[in-house]
Amino acid sequence: MAQLLITGGAGFIGSHTCLVLLEAGHNLVLIENFSNSSPEALRRVLELAGPKAKSRIQIVEGDIRNSDDLDCAFSIASSPIEAVVHFAGLKAVAESFEDPLDYWDVNLGGSRSLLNAMRIHGCRTIVFSSSATIYGYPNEVPISENALVSPINPYGQTKAAVEQLLADVAASEPGWKIARLRYFNPVGAHPSGLLGEAPHGTPANLFPYVSQVAVGRRDKVEIFGGDWPTSDGSAVRDYIHVMDLAEGHSAALNVLQQEAPQVLTLNLGSGRGYSVLEVVKAFEKASQKKLPYIITSRRKGDVACSVADPDLALKRLGWSTRRGLEDMCKDSWTWQMANPDGYSVEIQSLI
Ligand code: WQD
């Protein structure tokens, strides 16, 4: 097993992936600024991973843009960092239009600092959290990795820029092992209800918003557009259970560790699209709650349909999604019922 550095390991996808990596026997150093996450998530990761995991995780409260914080993270472990899993970043599409300077600083500037620190500390293996957002308006669906990269919002532009930076670094010197994982729509929660999605403020994404309507925190779902060229007029997305996504990261890491230096670019999606109205109906079934909704105008930057061609991930990783929409809704609802206000419990002693 390996000594890993995880950036953003307390976030929604990061926390679920840290659990999977601990269960796989890895030792983790996390660097986290907790700007959009909670230490409580890490306490619960340890609760789920079991008492022996406590000695296999170290946490550095710091920022990936700060070289001193990165040096601390690379040096704190008892053995050298062998690989990095890079989640830390800003990821709200609408916010990226309002605050591009922060998005470019954190997502690209932070990634550049991280890669520089990796070179200094002799680590050249990285799994990067990319996004299907970089495809913009797809020319065809399902979307393969060869599709045109043409982002339509600053968030997507930053992800595409980091992908390019990774390719340039790999070409500049030998030995780099890089996986660029293009997530479609991550949703759901750990089935225990201890880990889940806890966006700060009003959720921008569909699943947490629907979940908050079901638990009574919001009064109705606003469906952005009922006139899309789809079966029921609402937009279609490829939702992927966060546990499937976490397992995909572990599989990608294993392949990088076993194979020769390369840049591996993969879609992580199910290949199955669901409309907004289908999601609402599925969530009503999972929660046994009637979910009020109104259909309003389309949201800026949305596309009609975004669904992955998942074949390359199956071929290269032997990985594919195992959980369907029913599991996503059931696990989201279990999390939301147990944590109506998210990780509201802030703990003093972290770990
Ligand atoms: C899904 C569908 C909305 C909210 C985002 C970002 C990015 C990426 C994936 C990481 C769309 C509709 C939504 C609501 C709605 N994550 N919707 N009412 O925009 O497909 O992608 O998540 O890379 O964060 O690209 O996800 O959940 O915002 O929207 O009708 O209140 O639900 O129009 O069709 P999106 P989403």
Side-chain angles (χ1 to χ4, degrees):
M1 293 307 136
Q3 178 65 64
L4 307 176
L5 172 64
I6 316 293
T7 75
F12 172 40
I13 300 163
S15 55
H16 289 78
T17 305
C18 282
L19 175 59
V20 168
L21 294 173
L22 284 170
E23 289 172 338
H26 296 294
N27 298 315
L28 311 183
V29 173
L30 274 62
I31 181 168
E32 253 286 1
N33 66 5
F34 296 110
S35 63
N36 191 28
S37 57
S38 165
E40 173 64 10
L42 296 180
R43 192 190 64 77
R44 297 184 187 191
V45 165
L46 277 174
E47 185 179 332
L48 288 164
K52 292 181 180 177
K54 191 168 179 128
S55 64
R56 293 194 288 115
I57 187 169
Q58 296 169 274
I59 296 160
V60 173
E61 189 163 355
D63 194 306
I64 59 171
R65 294 168 291 180
N66 183 310
S67 58
D68 292 338
D69 292 348
L70 286 167
D71 286 342
C72 175
F74 275 94
S75 309
I76 195 173
S78 52
S79 57
I81 299 291
E82 298 166 67
V84 175
V85 185
H86 179 29
F87 294 108
L90 303 177
K91 66 130 190 156
V93 168
E95 185 183 59
S96 73
F97 282 107
E98 298 160 10
D99 201 356
L101 289 175
D102 262 2
Y103 271 70
W104 282 99
D105 184 33
V106 173
N107 292 357
L108 183 61
S111 297
R112 190 211 63 80
S113 300
L114 173 65
L115 289 164
N116 192 51
M118 289 178 69
R119 283 183 58 187
I120 291 167
H121 293 276
C123 176
R124 284 176 175 62
T125 300
I126 181 170
V127 176
F128 171 60
S129 166
S130 189
S131 171
T133 306
I134 67 174
Y135 293 121
Y137 297 113
N139 292 324
E140 63 177 328
V141 174
I143 304 170
S144 86
E145 287 82 355
N146 303 318
L148 179 67
V149 171
S150 180
I152 56 174
N153 55 66
Y155 164 68
Q157 294 283 4
T158 65
K159 287 294 186 179
V162 176
E163 283 206 7
Q164 184 58 56
L165 174 60
L166 289 165
D168 292 347
V169 166
S172 71
E173 58 178 349
W176 283 90
K177 298 181 175 185
I178 296 171
R180 305 182 299 186
L181 304 183
R182 295 171 176 174
Y183 309 164
F184 277 70
N185 287 59
V187 299
H190 189 270
S192 66
L194 285 175
L195 298 180
E197 190 169 9
H200 292 181
T202 303
N205 297 133
L206 180 67
F207 251 77
Y209 200 100
V210 167
S211 186
Q212 289 187 12
V213 171
V215 83
R217 277 185 67 181
R218 314 254 172 217
D219 60 5
K220 62 182 177 300
V221 180
E222 189 178 348
I223 296 180
F224 301 140
D227 58 349
W228 293 100
T230 62
S231 57
D232 61 17
S234 64
V236 171
R237 294 291 183 275
D238 183 331
Y239 298 98
I240 173 172
H241 196 295
V242 65
M243 289 307 295
D244 280 329
L245 194 59
E247 291 162 5
H249 283 74
S250 184
L253 188 62
N254 290 341
V255 164
L256 289 183
Q257 289 177 300
Q258 292 160 12
E259 295 188 3
Q262 59 187 298
V263 178
L264 184 58
T265 303
L266 297 172
N267 289 336
L268 293 191
S270 71
R272 173 77 165 83
Y274 288 100
S275 73
V276 177
L277 284 167
E278 285 173 322
V279 167
V280 171
K281 186 175 177 181
F283 214 97
E284 287 185 326
K285 184 178 177 186
S287 63
Q288 291 299 293
K289 303 280 186 182
K290 183 65 183 158
L291 301 179
Y293 66 82
I294 57 171
I295 295 180
T296 60
S297 55
R298 298 178 180 185
R299 179 177 64 175
K300 178 184 175 185
D302 271 352
V303 299
C305 183
S306 173
V307 174
D309 174 346
D311 291 351
L312 190 56
L314 178 59
K315 178 182 173 186
R316 295 289 289 109
L317 305 182
W319 170 93
S320 61
T321 57
R322 298 189 292 124
R323 300 160 179 93
L325 183 61
E326 185 178 339
D327 300 305
M328 296 174 209
C329 294
K330 173 170 64 71
D331 294 338
S332 287
W333 181 233
T334 302
W335 152 258
Q336 190 68 78
M337 278 195 297
N339 306 274
D341 298 317
Y343 294 113
S344 55
V345 173
E346 293 297 333
I347 54 173
Q348 296 310 315
S349 63
L350 173 59
I351 298 295

